Amino acid sequence: PIAMVMKHINEVPRRPSDVVDDVPDYVDAIVLRCLAKDPDDRFASMPEVLKALDTACDILQRDAPRARW
């Protein structure tokens, strides 16, 4: 329907952390940047996206609680 199209065009997507608990802010930022309405606000290339995701993975691994065996 046209209402859905207008919503897609005009509304900013929800942050992933609004839907799933414990999503870090930096992951929200990556996803929202990928979904930005203005192409100038998006990543310029896939290598840029991959670099941001690699950094996020490094942070997640660093901050993850370590198992104590």
Side-chain angles (χ1 to χ4, degrees), residues 13-61:
R14 289 172 46 193
R15 299 176 323 154
S17 61
D18 290 341
V19 180
V20 177
D21 292 337
D22 299 329
V23 174
D25 290 340
Y26 51 88
V27 174
D28 276 342
I30 293 168
V31 172
L32 292 178
R33 188 169 173 192
C34 288
L35 297 173
K37 301 295 181 189
D38 184 344
D40 291 336
D41 294 335
R42 296 183 205 137
F43 290 98
S45 64
M46 195 61 203
E48 250 187 68
V49 175
L50 293 174
K51 182 177 178 183
L53 291 172
D54 282 342
T55 300
C57 285
D58 290 344
I59 294 168
L60 286 168
Q61 288 176 347

Side-chain angles (χ1 to χ4, degrees), residues 4-18:
M4 179 65 80
V5 171
M6 295 308 294
K7 186 175 181 177
H8 177 74
I9 291 170
N10 295 313
E11 290 187 21
V12 175
R14 289 172 46 193
R15 299 176 323 154
S17 61
D18 290 341

